């Protein structure tokens, strides 16, 4: 999966910390063992001395050096094992297990990422997406068409709320499943409560579960980050700001609810333009009509969205209100 530099560094820090903890544990155990059984300390020193001596002899062309080394060190190793057993100490006491024996807590097997690294990456991007709790409830498996009516017709298009919802769900599902093969951006447009945010959660879960990096931001939070980092002065939020440009999928929820000004609008254009230029996908939900985009933001932003996004409309009554009324009736 594609990680940002910040995310990669964060994962590698966990491996560094594991190795430091293991080295400290080995050092602590050695000190305790040497005090308890001084002969083991002598054996370890003799093995180290023999190894250096035999290495020098090999460099000098002594072909018998390796055999001599093996014979001497095997006797010492056997003695060490007997001493450990006689004192009730496990043979692997000075070699505590790795958290991942396959990569020995390095994150890599050769030049390939270990399975434990890939799992850490998925867990990290899931956490950073700000969606981990919500996605257990809102995903394609729980998305329901029962709140969309085939009798609620959009007077402008003649299309029913149910048909709009079917089209949007199908396209969002296809977007997630073909994410690695087809570059695309989606705009979910519709009134409050028609299921736009729910569908963004559905897409996010599919991509996070397949190991992609997804950053989910409300428009308010996005514009706040853009404002804070406009002049690269907010070091504390810099990693999150960098992720806006580097993540596999950027989700912007409720565009149009933020407090925008000329500075943040210009930064928003930079964000849109950079991600489109680098073929980094976006998913935006908004209550705004397409005709409002140029008025509220700018012609440049309106053009980027209209020409660079697949527009999916949702229509109908507020589903949240419907659910509340249904629950009250059942009670």
């Amino acid at each position: 999966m594609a990680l940002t530099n910040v995310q990669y560094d964060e994962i590698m820090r966990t491996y560094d910390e594991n190795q430091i903890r293991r080295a400290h544990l080995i050092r602590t155990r050695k000190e305790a063992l040497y005090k308890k059984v001084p002969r083991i300390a002598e054996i370890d020193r003799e093995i180290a001395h023999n190894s250096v001596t035999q290495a020098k002899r090999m460099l000098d062309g002594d072909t018998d050096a390796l055999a001599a080394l093996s014979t001497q060190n095997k006797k010492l190793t056997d003695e060490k094992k007997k001493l450990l057993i006689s004192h009730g100490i496990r043979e692997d006491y000075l070699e505590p297990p790795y958290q991942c024996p396959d990569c020995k807590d390095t994150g890599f097997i050769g030049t390939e990422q270990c399975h434990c690294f890939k799992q850490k990456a998925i867990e990290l991007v899931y956490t950073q997406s700000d969606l981990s709790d919500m996605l257990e409830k809102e995903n394609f498996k729980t998305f329901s068409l029962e709140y969309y009516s085939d009798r609620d017709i959009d007077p402008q298009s003649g299309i029913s709320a149910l048909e709009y919802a079917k089209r949007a769900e199908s396209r969002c599902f296809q977007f997630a499943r073909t994410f690695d093969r087809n570059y695309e951006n989606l705009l979910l447009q519709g009134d409050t409560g028609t299921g736009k945010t729910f569908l963004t959660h559905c897409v996010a879960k599919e991509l996070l579960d397949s190991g992609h990096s997804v950053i989910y931001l409300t428009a308010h939070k996005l514009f706040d980050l853009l404002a804070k980092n406009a002049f690269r002065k907010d070091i504390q939020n810099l990693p999150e700001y960098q992720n806006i440009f580097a993540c596999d999928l950027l989700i912007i929820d409720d565009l149009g609810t933020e407090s925008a000004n000329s500075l943040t609008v210009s930064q928003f254009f930079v964000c849109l333009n950079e991600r489109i230029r680098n073929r980094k996908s976006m998913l935006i939900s908004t209550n705004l009509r397409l005709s409002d985009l140029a008025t509220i933001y700018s012609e440049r932003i309106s053009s980027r969205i209209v020409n660079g996004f697949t527009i999916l409309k949702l229509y109908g009554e507020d589903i949240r209100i419907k659910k509340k009324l249904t629950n009250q009736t059942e009670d």
Side-chain angles (χ1 to χ4, degrees), residues 29-287:
R29 287 184 176 184
K30 270 188 178 181
E31 291 172 357
L33 182 61
Y34 289 172
K35 287 181 180 179
K36 185 176 182 179
V37 190
R39 173 55 186 158
I40 290 180
E42 294 175 2
I43 290 173
D44 283 346
R45 285 194 292 271
E46 287 180 40
I47 290 174
H49 175 74
N50 287 344
S51 298
V52 173
T53 300
Q54 297 301 330
K56 289 180 178 178
R57 288 170 58 185
M58 288 176 66
L59 290 173
D60 291 337
D62 187 346
T63 55
D64 297 326
L66 187 57
L69 170 65
S70 297
T71 300
Q72 292 175 21
N73 281 355
K74 186 178 185 308
K75 290 180 181 179
L76 292 169
T77 301
D78 289 343
E79 182 185 353
K80 181 178 177 179
K81 287 180 180 179
K82 291 178 182 178
L83 285 170
L84 288 170
I85 293 171
S86 66
H87 285 82
I89 301 169
R90 300 190 318 273
E91 288 185 27
D92 64 350
Y93 179 69
L94 294 179
E95 288 294 327
Y98 294 98
Q99 288 192 5
C100 179
D102 295 330
C103 69
K104 294 183 170 54
D105 294 345
T106 63
F108 286 81
I109 299 176
T111 59
E112 297 294 322
Q113 290 179 355
C114 181
H115 59 83
C116 67
F117 184 101
K118 294 176 182 177
Q119 184 58 42
K120 285 178 184 289
I122 291 173
E123 292 170 358
L124 176 63
V125 296
Y126 226 109
T127 301
Q128 291 186 342
S129 70
D130 289 341
L131 289 172
S132 52
D133 293 332
M134 184 60 70
L135 299 190
E136 293 302 314
K137 303 174 184 176
E138 299 188 357
N139 50 69
F140 281 117
K141 290 182 179 179
T142 61
F143 183 82
S144 175
L145 294 169
E146 67 176 295
Y147 296 101
Y148 299 93
S149 173
D150 59 358
R151 288 176 287 187
D152 190 357
I153 308 297
D154 178 4
Q156 292 184 340
S157 66
I159 299 172
S160 71
L162 179 61
E163 182 59 29
Y164 271 130
K166 286 181 178 179
R167 291 180 184 180
E169 178 194 22
S170 176
R171 194 56 182 270
C172 285
F173 185 77
Q174 181 185 17
F175 171 82
R177 286 301 175 91
T178 62
F179 188 82
D180 291 323
R181 298 194 300 274
N182 301 318
Y183 165 71
E184 189 178 15
N185 299 302
L186 298 183
L187 177 74
L188 291 169
Q189 188 273 327
D191 292 335
T192 300
T194 50
K196 301 184 302 297
T197 298
F198 198 117
L199 277 175
T200 66
H201 292 167
C202 293
V203 172
K205 180 169 176 58
E206 287 293 313
L207 291 178
L208 286 166
D209 285 351
S210 60
H212 295 86
S213 56
V214 178
I215 300 298
Y216 170 91
L217 296 171
T218 62
H220 174 79
K221 186 170 182 179
L222 171 66
F223 276 63
D224 184 52
L225 274 173
L226 293 175
K228 288 179 178 177
N229 288 277
F231 302 106
R232 303 281 177 138
K233 292 182 178 180
D234 191 353
I235 302 301
Q236 183 177 355
N237 289 295
L238 185 58
E240 193 171 6
Y241 176 76
Q242 292 173 334
N243 285 341
I244 291 172
F245 296 91
C247 63
D248 294 330
L249 175 65
L250 174 64
I251 296 177
I252 306 170
D253 196 25
D254 272 342
L255 182 67
T257 59
E258 74 288 339
S259 297
N261 54 49
S262 59
L263 174 64
T264 53
V265 166
S266 66
Q267 289 297 303
F268 181 44
F269 174 77
V270 171
C271 175
L272 286 175
N273 198 53
E274 281 298 299
R275 288 194 64 88
I276 290 173
R277 188 172 64 85
N278 293 314
R279 298 178 66 82
K280 293 281 189 178
S281 292
M282 288 172 280
L283 172 54
I284 298 176
S285 75
T286 183
N287 299 341

